[in-house]
Amino acid sequence: MAQFEEVSQKSKLHPKPEGLTLQYGTAGFRTNAKHLDHIMFRMGLLATLRSKKTKSTIGVMVTASHNPEEDNGVKLIDPMGEMVTEVWEGYATQLANAEQDSLLKALKDVIEKEDISMSEPASVYVGKDTRPSSASLSQAVLDGVSSLGGKTHDYGLVTTPQLHYMVCCCNTNGCYGSPTVEGYYQKLSQAFLQLTQNAPNRTDDQKKLLVDGANGIGALKMREMEPFLRSELQVVLSNDGSSGKLNHLCGADYVKVQQKAPQGVCMATGERCCSFDGDADRIVYYYTDSKGRFHLLDGDKIATLISTYLKELLTQAGLNLQIAVVQTAYANGSSTRYLEDVMKVTVCCTKTGVKHLHHAAQEYDIGVYFEANGHGTVLFSKAAQKQILELVKDQNTNDERKRAVKILENTVNLINQTVGDAISDMLVIEAVLAIRGMSVQDWDAIYTDLPNRQLKVTVSDRRVINTTDAERKAVTPEGLQEAIDSLVKKYKNARSFVRPSGTEDVVRVYAEADTQESADNLAHEVSLAVYRLAGGVGDEPKPLH
Ligand code: NG1
Ligand code: ZN
C-alpha cells in the first residue's frame, strides 16, 4: 500500500540504532536526546493509529520534564487529555524497539490487533518544551504522523498540561474551553479573577508570589499569562530561561529532593515562593522562617489545603458529594494521618505514576490526587459538576449556599482536570489562601511533616526488584523486604520502601522517621541493603553524615 511505502521511505531518515531498547516508563520514553529521533518518528506513527482507532485527536508532547537538559522524552495524550492506556503503552514499546527492517510488521501488528480502519482520518496535536533537542525531535513526530497521512497541528512551545488541555478542548468540541493558548489563559484567569473577588482586601504583599520557572517552558508561559491576571497575582519570576540551564539547581524536583531553595531566587524571610518543573506539570511551595530554616510545602500539603477547602465549601453549599484524596507511597506519613484522623476524608494509595492516581481519583465524586513531588489535580465527576451547576442556577438558595457554590463553580473552571498543571494549581492555591485569609505559614502549620529522605541506588538490572501493596513492599529479590523490615524497627515512627524508577535507571529508596538524622540513617542503611541484595554497581552507598 502507498501509505506504508511512505512510512518505509521516511523511516530511513529516522533510523533506529541497532540493539537499542527502551521502555515506555512512568511517563513515556525518556533518555538522552541523542537516542530518541527514531522513537519520536514512531510515536508519530502510533499517535496516528490511536487517532484512527479512537476517531479523536491525540496529543504528543516532546519533553523530559524534570530530567537534565540533555535528556528528552515523549508522552502520548489520549482523547480526554488522559495518559494513554497500558495496552497502548505496550504497543509503544513494541514499535520503539522493532529493528528497522521489522518496523512495518510491528505497525501492521497493531493495526490488526486493534482492528484499525486505515481509511479513517487522523489528527495529532504536537507540543514541545524548551530543550535544544526538542525542535528536531518534534519535527520527527510530525514526519511520523504525515507519513501515515495524518493531519497535524503543531502548537510549538507549550507546557505539557497546556497540550493536554488542547486535546481535551478539541475532543469535547469546545465544551472544555477553546483549544488555543489564549483560550487557556482566558478560561483560567477569568475563574481566578472571580475567585479573588471573594477576598477584596488583599494587600500587594499578599498578592506577591515568587515563581521559579526552572529555566523552562513554564517561565515563558507564565510571562504570557501575566497580563490576563490583572495584578491580582503579582508574580516575581526567576530562572526564566534567559540565562540559566533547564532544571539545573532549580525547579520543583530539585527543591523537593534536595529540600532546599533553588538558586537564582532572591527570597526574603517568610516570603511565599513556588517552583515549577521543566514542563510545568508539577509545583511545590516553600519559604524560609526567621531562623533561616527552609520549609517545603509539597504535593501532600497542597492536597491537604485543597481538599480541606473543598470539603468546607461542600458543607456550606449543602452538597452531599464524596471527596477522597489519592496519594502514593511517597506521601508523608503525617499527611495521611491528618487527612484520615482529623479531616476524616477517604485516603487511597496507588502505585507511583500519574496515570494510577488519575484512574483512582475517577472513582469518587471529587478526587483530589497529588504525588508528594507536586504533580496533581482534582477530578470532579460528571454528576458532581451537574449538581454544582444546578445549584448555581437554583433561585431558592440562601446567600451562604449561593456564595459557596459559586466559588465551587469557579474552582472547577480554574482546575485543569486533564492532568497536573503547575500554573493552574498555583492559581488554585493562591485563590484558596486569599479566600481563607491564610498565609503560607498558616498553611504549613496544618500538620508537621515527618523528616524524610529519598536516595537512589544504581544496580545492574533494576527489574530484579518487584513490588506489591502499591509499591510499599518488595517481593523480590529474596530477603530484601525482611532486611528493610528489621532496619525500620530500629527507628521511631519509621517507614521505608524501595522501587525501581520508571524514568531513570536507578532504584529509589524512601525513608521517614522521627528525626532527620534517623531518616537519613535509615535511608542509607536501606540503600546498602539494596546495593548488596539487588546487584549494586559502582561504589557502595556512603552514609550521609
Ligand atoms: P520514577 O522515576 O518512576 O520514580 C518520577 C516520579 C514520579 C512521576 C514520574 C514522572 C518520584 C519519586 N517519582 O518517577 O512521581 O512524577 O517521575 O515524571 O518523584
Ligand atoms: Zn513534569
Side-chain angles (χ1 to χ4, degrees):
M1 258 160 95
Q3 235 161 7
F4 294 123
E5 186 48 40
E6 196 168 343
V7 173
S8 168
Q9 290 307 321
K10 285 263 183 71
S11 72
K12 289 183 192 140
L13 302 174
H14 304 281
K16 173 182 177 298
E18 229 178 84
L20 177 72
T21 60
L22 292 168
Q23 201 75 26
Y24 196 98
T26 321
F29 292 103
R30 213 179 274 190
T31 186
N32 190 295
K34 61 178 188 246
H35 301 309
L36 283 169
D37 184 67
H38 68 293
I39 299 279
M40 297 294 166
F41 177 78
R42 293 165 183 214
M43 288 311 104
L45 298 177
L46 191 69
T48 311
L49 295 188
R50 183 76 183 145
S51 173
K52 288 177 188 287
K53 169 78 187 183
T54 57
K55 301 187 174 51
S56 307
T57 290
I58 295 296
V60 181
M61 181 70 194
V62 176
T63 179
S65 184
H66 56 277
N67 284 41
E69 190 168 270
E70 41 300 351
D71 285 0
N72 217 323
V74 57
K75 303 181 186 179
L76 297 176
I77 306 169
D78 247 11
M80 286 305 126
E82 334 85 296
M83 306 273 171
V84 84
T85 64
E86 270 179 49
V87 174
W88 281 71
E89 285 183 7
Y91 298 149
T93 302
Q94 280 161 26
L95 217 56
N97 295 325
E99 291 305 334
Q100 200 63 24
D101 53 7
S102 44
L103 176 60
L104 285 190
K105 186 183 169 301
L107 200 63
K108 286 175 187 166
D109 272 356
V110 180
I111 296 169
E112 208 167 286
K113 273 199 197 119
E114 291 290 325
D115 194 18
I116 294 168
S117 156
M118 292 306 284
S119 57
E120 281 290 336
S123 152
V124 179
Y125 283 2
V126 181
K128 60 170 184 265
D129 72 10
T130 56
R131 282 161 213 271
S133 59
S134 290
S136 73
L137 291 176
S138 74
Q139 189 53 53
V141 175
L142 295 165
D143 282 0
V145 178
S146 60
S147 75
L148 259 184
K151 248 181 49 193
T152 55
H153 183 132
D154 183 6
Y155 278 92
L157 293 167
V158 281
T159 69
T160 296
Q162 281 176 335
L163 192 67
H164 282 255
Y165 163 89
M166 305 300 173
V167 170
C168 183
C169 288
C170 171
N171 291 318
T172 54
N173 296 320
C175 283
Y176 196 66
S178 126
T180 60
V181 179
E182 169 121 356
Y184 170 92
Y185 296 142
Q186 249 150 17
K187 179 176 176 186
L188 268 61
S189 61
Q190 263 166 31
F192 180 71
L193 293 174
Q194 296 234 5
L195 283 171
T196 52
Q197 283 177 12
N198 294 282
N201 301 321
R202 279 192 312 151
T203 61
D204 276 354
D205 264 357
Q206 288 165 325
K207 292 180 189 174
K208 182 177 168 194
L209 174 67
L210 274 62
V211 178
D212 155 26
N215 289 316
I217 184 68
L220 249 68
K221 296 296 148 179
M222 208 47 245
R223 275 261 142 78
E224 277 177 20
M225 190 175 191
E226 256 187 291
F228 291 82
L229 298 170
R230 298 205 206 118
S231 305
E232 277 304 320
L233 184 66
Q234 293 166 17
V235 171
V236 181
L237 191 61
S238 326
N239 298 322
D240 64 355
S242 53
S243 55
K245 204 171 164 185
L246 177 70
N247 296 329
H248 183 61
L249 306 176
C250 62
D253 195 61
Y254 173 85
V255 173
K256 167 71 182 162
V257 176
Q258 303 296 323
Q259 303 188 35
K260 60 179 178 207
Q263 288 194 5
V265 180
C266 192
M267 34 192 299
T269 301
E271 257 184 339
R272 198 163 74 251
C273 312
C274 67
S275 284
F276 296 175
D277 77 336
D279 62 342
D281 64 354
R282 287 194 199 176
I283 185 168
V284 293
Y285 270 68
Y286 45 91
Y287 68 96
T288 45
D289 65 21
S290 55
K291 298 198 180 90
R293 267 190 318 231
F294 177 76
H295 293 247
L296 176 72
L297 294 97
D298 62 3
D300 306 332
K301 284 252 154 107
I302 298 173
T304 307
L305 180 77
I306 296 178
S307 57
T308 310
Y309 157 83
L310 289 173
K311 200 173 169 198
E312 206 174 271
L313 287 173
L314 289 177
T315 310
Q316 288 167 4
L319 282 170
N320 183 19
L321 295 171
Q322 197 201 3
I323 179 162
V325 176
V326 183
Q327 304 185 315
T328 72
Y330 291 101
N332 195 279
S334 286
S335 73
T336 316
R337 216 160 301 133
Y338 176 82
L339 287 164
E340 284 179 335
D341 299 350
V342 183
M343 284 295 302
K344 312 271 183 231
V345 300
T346 309
V347 179
C348 138
C349 183
T350 70
K351 280 165 52 175
T352 303
V354 189
K355 57 186 176 226
H356 302 296
L357 289 112
H358 192 92
H359 195 70
Q362 284 172 327
E363 299 295 311
Y364 303 92
D365 294 327
I366 302 180
V368 179
Y369 75 81
F370 270 88
E371 292 189 308
N373 62 32
H375 185 119
T377 186
V378 185
L379 303 185
F380 296 86
S381 71
K382 278 214 173 76
Q385 296 193 50
K386 191 162 163 255
Q387 279 193 43
I388 293 172
L389 282 181
E390 277 170 3
L391 194 58
V392 168
K393 288 190 203 125
D394 190 342
Q395 302 293 327
N396 302 318
T397 48
N398 64 35
D399 285 353
E400 192 204 352
R401 287 186 75 191
K402 217 178 269 168
R403 176 180 180 270
V405 78
K406 195 71 203 150
I407 295 181
L408 272 173
E409 185 195 23
N410 281 314
T411 306
V412 173
N413 288 333
L414 184 53
I415 288 168
N416 185 345
Q417 293 192 54
T418 64
V419 78
D421 181 336
I423 293 179
S424 153
D425 289 338
M426 175 191 77
L427 294 173
V428 173
I429 293 163
E430 291 301 309
V432 175
L433 294 178
I435 292 170
R436 304 188 85 196
M438 284 169 86
S439 65
V440 69
Q441 290 76 14
D442 299 334
W443 170 22
D444 192 30
I446 295 180
Y447 65 82
T448 307
D449 273 325
L450 276 172
N452 58 90
R453 180 65 62 196
Q454 240 194 77
L455 296 175
K456 300 177 194 182
V457 185
T458 310
V459 297
S460 61
D461 181 0
R462 68 194 200 276
R463 287 172 302 182
V464 299
I465 297 195
N466 283 289
T467 63
T468 180
D469 187 22
E471 301 176 318
R472 290 173 289 195
K473 286 209 155 42
V475 271
T476 63
E478 216 182 292
L480 180 59
Q481 189 55 46
E482 289 72 16
I484 296 173
D485 288 342
S486 66
L487 292 169
V488 165
K489 277 201 196 110
K490 290 169 43 186
Y491 299 92
K492 232 179 115 190
N493 293 339
R495 187 170 72 90
S496 180
F497 66 91
V498 303
R499 55 174 278 282
S501 160
T503 61
E504 280 179 78
D505 194 9
V506 295
V507 175
R508 291 198 201 284
V509 172
Y510 177 87
E512 63 185 32
D514 61 336
T515 65
Q516 190 61 54
E517 200 185 345
S518 298
D520 289 352
N521 289 340
L522 177 57
H524 169 66
E525 288 166 0
V526 172
S527 299
L528 271 181
V530 170
Y531 182 88
R532 288 174 189 156
L533 296 167
V537 294
D539 291 342
E540 218 176 62
K542 303 225 167 16
L544 283 111
H545 301 288

